[in-house]
Amino acid sequence: MIGKVRFGVLAVMMLAAACAPGTAGMSTSAASEAARLDAVMQALPLASASPAPPDGIHNAVVVIEDPARSLVYAKGVGAARDGRPETITAKDQFPIASVTKTMTATVILQLLEEGKLGAKGIETTLGSLGVFEPAVLDRLMTFEGRAYGSALTIRQLLAHQSGLRDVFMDDANLTSDQNRGDAAPSSFGGVLLGVLGEHRKCLETPGCDVSALMTGKNWKPWDPSRPDDPQAGVLNFYLNYKGGATNGLFAPGQGYHYSDTGYIILGLVIEKLTGDTLHEAYRKRLFDPPGLKRTYLEYAAKPATAPYEGNAADFYIGDFPGRTGRFNISFDWAGGGVVSTAEDLNRFIRALGEGRLFGKAETLALMTSPQWREMRGDLVVERGLGVSRLTAPDGVSYFGHTGFWGAIMLYEPGTGISLGGTLNQVGHNPAPWAIDLLRAARPREAATN
């Protein structure tokens, strides 16, 4: 969800030549950059302020890196967990939500390089991959009386040009855009948030088991053994709840509509083509090679997540702390189920931006090539394959992704500056905040790219 954003936070400044906090020992330019970055962070409306702002953020953290100047800036503000005093740090874990889509897209494009998508590459159709039974494909998406499920291409799924509704935000009658940006009432997200009050009451009731609620259960992405049961999995919900939300918004390739549904399908494609679980594929291909030691697919069983778990920060829905409140987000999976840290997100976007996750330079070029262009406020947003390119009014461009809980990672090709972090709060668009930070970190003499 995208909303108005105002920002601020507290921190640590690390510059390769100066590890002590503060400006002592820093060059004049380094101290100036630290002050500029701190100013952006300290402008955030913290919920801990008195009086508390109505749009308060409970915790936030960021890591910014510019290897050309040996600069690493790491700063966190607010308590990491509800009811505890420890300030969030760059090593604390948080859900990255839709930032996961960049990871899913990266694996798909690696499979393209390996020839596993077949001769047609990303134009390969879903019907040729054997992920779903033909009867399910026929139900998956229809438009103007025609079934399109088997004809959907990998490119269309990656680029949000499939015509599929978003299982989390849209129902059969309304898209979230038609509902003032809120989840449609019969969407997965609409039903889930409708249970939140019952979830909170259960937490306060001795003997009440939140795992029996929609908000507390572990969700599968898809259960092929129960294709008609809306409670069996997320795609099962999409196909069946109140008749399903399978009526497409446009013919494939003829428009743009952001859809988590398509990325859940891409996760199933990854498992089918690799023979690995999604978490195994992420670990082997994305997490272990660049050293993402605190990043994992939450709720995964193979491999087990325990070796990668650590300090989990609370993410917030209003004043409700999701982690402390045992809000189960297993439903996100390939569209948004990864947990990471500001350090690891920055490490990942650097590996991607520097071309270290692909065997060919043209694959990254394909990933970042605009498939759809729109304006979001004063930002030009060009949608690629699992990433977006943002161009600010000053002409500087960045690519990366944002996530529902306020997570963001960005890479600036012109300077090589990168950022990973989160506002950890629903309803705040992190992009303006992150761009302000990157602008503050950029050398004063840097040209636009």
Side-chain angles (χ1 to χ4, degrees):
M1 264 186 231
I2 294 186
K4 291 187 178 179
V5 191
R6 295 180 299 141
F7 309 93
V9 189
L10 99 70
V12 177
M13 179 73 189
M14 297 148 45
L15 291 156
C19 295
T23 58
M26 293 184 189
S27 68
T28 301
S29 62
S32 176
E33 284 155 5
R36 291 198 303 268
L37 289 160
D38 284 345
V40 177
M41 294 297 277
Q42 290 160 2
L44 280 167
L46 287 179
S48 57
S50 184
D55 59 346
I57 292 167
H58 291 77
N59 63 54
V61 64
V62 72
V63 169
I64 299 170
E65 185 173 357
D66 182 1
R69 295 179 296 141
S70 299
L71 166 68
V72 179
Y73 175 90
K75 189 163 188 168
V77 296
R81 291 289 289 250
D82 185 61
R84 298 184 61 173
E86 296 87 359
T87 299
I88 191 171
T89 74
K91 297 184 184 300
D92 285 318
Q93 293 169 317
F94 51 86
I96 68 172
S98 286
V99 176
T100 303
K101 289 182 175 66
T102 302
M103 298 172 175
T104 299
T106 301
V107 175
I108 289 287
L109 293 175
Q110 288 176 344
L111 296 175
L112 169 70
E113 288 188 334
E114 295 162 15
K116 292 183 179 176
L117 294 180
K120 293 184 178 179
I122 58 173
E123 304 306 334
T124 294
T125 61
L126 194 56
S128 68
L129 295 175
V131 176
F132 298 103
E133 294 294 326
V136 173
L137 283 172
D138 286 345
R139 295 174 58 197
L140 197 60
M141 199 278 270
T142 61
F143 181 71
E144 295 182 343
R146 179 178 171 184
Y148 281 99
S150 62
L152 297 176
T153 69
I154 298 300
R155 180 194 291 274
Q156 290 162 354
L157 295 171
L158 287 170
H160 300 289
Q161 292 185 304
S162 64
L164 290 162
R165 291 176 183 263
D166 187 325
V167 60
F168 297 131
M169 301 300 289
D170 309 326
D171 62 23
N173 301 309
L174 286 174
T175 67
S176 116
D177 288 340
Q178 295 165 338
N179 198 39
R180 304 179 307 279
D182 294 331
S186 295
S187 66
F188 190 101
V191 176
L192 190 76
L193 292 176
V195 180
L196 186 57
E198 185 179 351
H199 182 105
R200 298 180 77 154
K201 184 177 180 180
C202 183
L203 291 173
E204 298 167 359
T205 305
C208 188
D209 182 10
V210 294
S211 67
L213 301 175
M214 183 179 183
T215 47
K217 68 176 282 186
N218 278 348
W219 282 88
K220 293 181 179 181
W222 165 240
D223 186 344
S225 70
R226 298 158 62 191
D228 300 321
D229 182 354
Q231 298 303 311
V234 176
L235 289 182
N236 304 71
F237 182 100
Y238 162 81
L239 287 172
N240 299 290
Y241 185 74
K242 293 191 174 180
T246 61
N247 51 321
L249 297 169
F250 48 80
Q254 300 305 305
Y256 173 90
H257 183 73
Y258 190 89
S259 175
D260 278 88
T261 316
Y263 271 77
I264 293 171
I265 293 169
L266 288 169
L268 296 173
V269 169
I270 289 170
E271 292 195 334
K272 178 74 174 182
L273 295 182
T274 63
D276 292 331
T277 67
L278 184 61
H279 191 210
E280 284 176 319
Y282 284 157
R283 291 236 68 85
K284 292 176 183 177
R285 295 167 171 272
L286 307 182
F287 298 166
D288 292 343
L292 276 60
K293 297 179 180 179
R294 296 182 177 87
T295 300
Y296 63 95
L297 180 64
E298 196 165 14
Y299 308 99
K302 184 182 178 183
T305 61
Y308 313 104
E309 295 175 10
N311 301 317
D314 268 316
F315 55 94
Y316 284 83
I317 306 168
D319 65 348
F320 177 73
R323 192 66 68 194
T324 299
R326 294 156 59 193
F327 188 80
N328 189 305
I329 54 176
S330 54
F331 50 82
D332 267 350
W333 203 57
V338 168
V339 167
S340 191
T341 68
E343 281 186 349
D344 273 7
L345 271 192
N346 176 68
R347 190 173 287 117
F348 175 81
I349 193 63
R350 293 210 65 78
L352 184 64
E354 292 168 359
R356 289 184 277 122
L357 297 179
F358 295 128
K360 304 173 183 177
E362 53 263 38
T363 307
L364 180 60
L366 172 65
M367 185 182 211
T368 57
S369 295
Q371 308 288 313
W372 192 261
R373 185 180 185 275
E374 62 183 325
M375 293 297 300
R376 290 278 180 165
D378 60 359
L379 289 177
V380 179
V381 181
E382 295 171 301
R383 309 289 187 178
L385 305 179
V387 296
S388 291
R389 185 178 179 91
L390 311 178
T391 302
D394 60 7
V396 178
S397 293
Y398 318 83
F399 74 79
H401 215 293
T402 62
F404 182 76
W405 308 109
I408 188 166
M409 64 180 184
L410 290 176
Y411 183 80
E412 185 180 330
T415 61
I417 299 174
S418 59
L419 175 149
T422 187
L423 294 174
N424 245 359
Q425 185 85 35
V426 172
H428 286 266
N429 175 14
W433 164 67
I435 289 173
D436 283 348
L437 283 165
L438 287 167
R439 185 179 292 117
R442 193 183 311 131
R444 298 294 87 181
E445 68 277 6
T448 59
N449 60 9

